[in-house]
Amino acid sequence: MACRTVCQVIQRRLASTAAAVRPPAAEVHSQRNAVFSREQARQRALYPRVEKIEVAMQGPGLDGTLLVMNRGMSTPLSCARHLTEYHVSTSALALVDGELWPLHQPLTHSCSLSLLTFKDADPSLVNQAYWRSCAALLGQVLETAFKDDFVVELLSTPEVPVTSGAFCCDVVLDAQLDSWTPSEESLRSLTRRAQQLIHQDLAWEPLEVAPPVALEVFSHSRCKQEEVEQKAAQSPKGTVMLHRCGDHVLLSGGPLVARTGLCSQYEVTALHSLGQGPWGLHRRAQGLSLPLQLQAHHTVWRKLRQRAEKPVEVPRADEATPPSPADSAPPPAAQ
């Protein structure tokens, strides 16, 4: 126990030292974007010639539809654009040969393709990706909500089921803010920032990369570098998944939905203290959201919000069990 305490103290001092020499947030974002764009361009250059692939569409009214697309260039969203505006506006995620696939991720071989929406008979996969995306949006808001002289460190995002009542984003704020408790107005300000990103309808661009690339992306964050190493060790392919939304680059524990505009009702509900951790005072930001295709009456929303204010307990990895499809659907819209 004493050894662990000493290690935590040393780690916090190293984190404080890193914060003291960390470049301004704008410079950090610029560097992360530059590395992301460079790697994205390198991967696209792996397909110098236009090669055709066949995509067999699956789903209501689509069985038997065969699209001829470009290998390494066309995405599930490209396929949706060959169908109808309805498929473009409602699709959130895809299944490629049965594998979850982000809408903006290029297709690399002939395959079967299903477009997933929030109103599918079993929306559990889309719902979990949506919850994960809402947490990513919250992290983006937190990282840019404070003045440049305050360092914000995003921790590994807890993977919580929709049935938990709130999505979560763990964070360490600058030590100068350790005594700060957010007011209702502060939470409303964070909500407004999130809604601005939603109205911009920004794409979540996926990019699967080797660990050295991700380590370079997060070269100014030892916390994120440790997370990269952990995720790479857990990945069967030894890679990690990055996403970019606007100028914000993040690590993701799974696929995200196509764009911020798929979010509708969205509210930041709480910021709870988790106590001292390896990187400082750990906090858990929480929020509540429903997608564009599912709306709740204001009385229903108020009850959901009250639940989302309560601290979410995240089970340890050995305790976590995946939610059943019936449990993972968000509350239905009030009639």
Side-chain angles (χ1 to χ4, degrees):
M1 181 64 71
C3 179
R4 182 185 302 174
T5 302
V6 170
C7 289
Q8 289 182 350
V9 170
I10 293 174
Q11 204 164 27
R12 286 190 64 193
R13 288 178 178 175
L14 289 174
S16 298
T17 302
V21 298
R22 187 170 179 168
E27 186 176 331
V28 171
H29 289 160
S30 177
Q31 181 266 343
R32 291 178 178 178
N33 264 290
V35 178
F36 187 100
S37 295
R38 185 192 69 204
E39 175 62 15
Q40 188 180 61
R42 186 195 70 80
Q43 292 188 18
R44 289 175 176 172
L46 296 175
Y47 305 94
R49 296 181 304 159
V50 176
E51 300 178 33
K52 297 300 181 180
I53 57 174
E54 294 184 345
V55 180
M57 300 301 303
Q58 297 179 342
L62 295 177
D63 291 342
T65 301
L66 187 67
L67 301 177
V68 178
M69 308 300 290
N70 297 325
R71 178 172 179 256
M73 298 171 58
S74 299
T75 65
L77 183 60
S78 306
C79 296
R81 290 185 176 127
H82 282 276
L83 302 174
T84 67
E85 180 58 32
Y86 172 82
H87 291 96
V88 173
S89 61
T90 61
S91 297
L93 205 59
L95 282 178
V96 174
D97 290 338
E99 177 186 352
L100 273 179
W101 201 272
L103 280 195
H104 295 283
Q105 185 167 327
L107 300 168
T108 57
H109 56 276
S110 293
C111 59
S112 64
L113 172 64
S114 300
L115 299 171
L116 305 181
T117 77
F118 295 101
K119 290 194 173 183
D120 290 344
D122 177 8
S124 56
L125 295 175
V126 177
N127 288 343
Q128 194 59 42
Y130 180 75
W131 222 229
R132 191 182 299 120
S133 305
C134 290
L137 188 64
L138 179 53
Q140 183 169 351
V141 167
L142 289 169
E143 197 168 63
T144 58
F146 299 90
K147 295 179 180 179
D148 281 348
D149 48 347
F150 292 131
V151 175
V152 176
E153 190 73 71
L154 297 180
L155 306 178
S156 179
T157 301
E159 188 78 7
V160 297
V162 177
T163 51
S164 63
F167 53 82
C168 305
C169 175
D170 288 358
V171 64
V172 172
L173 303 180
D174 196 285
Q176 300 174 71
L177 299 172
D178 279 359
S179 61
W180 174 68
T181 300
S183 62
E184 282 296 320
E185 179 54 36
S186 298
L187 296 177
R188 283 193 291 270
S189 176
L190 295 174
T191 296
R192 286 193 293 271
R193 285 176 170 269
Q195 291 170 344
Q196 289 172 359
L197 294 173
I198 290 170
H199 291 152
Q200 291 178 47
D201 199 18
L202 300 170
W204 269 297
E205 305 173 66
L207 190 67
E208 187 176 7
V209 303
V213 176
L215 291 173
E216 184 180 359
V217 168
F218 297 106
S219 58
H220 297 106
S221 172
R222 182 57 199 151
C223 172
K224 280 298 172 190
Q225 289 188 326
E226 286 193 3
E227 187 180 349
V228 167
E229 293 164 354
Q230 292 168 359
K231 289 187 182 301
Q234 295 166 359
S235 168
K237 294 189 288 186
T239 58
V240 296
M241 181 61 79
L242 304 179
H243 281 82
R244 179 168 63 181
C245 180
D247 65 353
H248 178 72
V249 179
L250 66 141
L251 270 173
S252 175
L256 305 183
V257 298
R259 52 194 175 85
T260 61
L262 288 172
C263 302
S264 179
Q265 292 169 284
Y266 188 107
E267 191 167 352
V268 182
T269 58
L271 184 62
H272 297 292
S273 174
L274 301 178
Q276 290 294 333
W279 305 102
L281 179 61
H282 289 204
R283 302 184 192 230
R284 176 161 295 155
Q286 297 180 190
L288 174 67
S289 182
L290 284 176
L292 195 60
Q293 297 173 1
L294 297 172
Q295 299 292 309
H297 189 271
H298 66 88
T299 55
V300 176
W301 181 262
R302 185 166 60 248
K303 291 180 180 179
L304 293 174
R305 188 191 188 285
Q306 290 171 353
R307 183 187 176 196
E309 293 173 353
K310 300 177 181 177
V312 171
E313 297 294 333
V314 178
R316 297 195 307 269
D318 56 350
E319 295 177 346
T321 55
S324 66
D327 289 340
S328 60
Q335 300 297 321

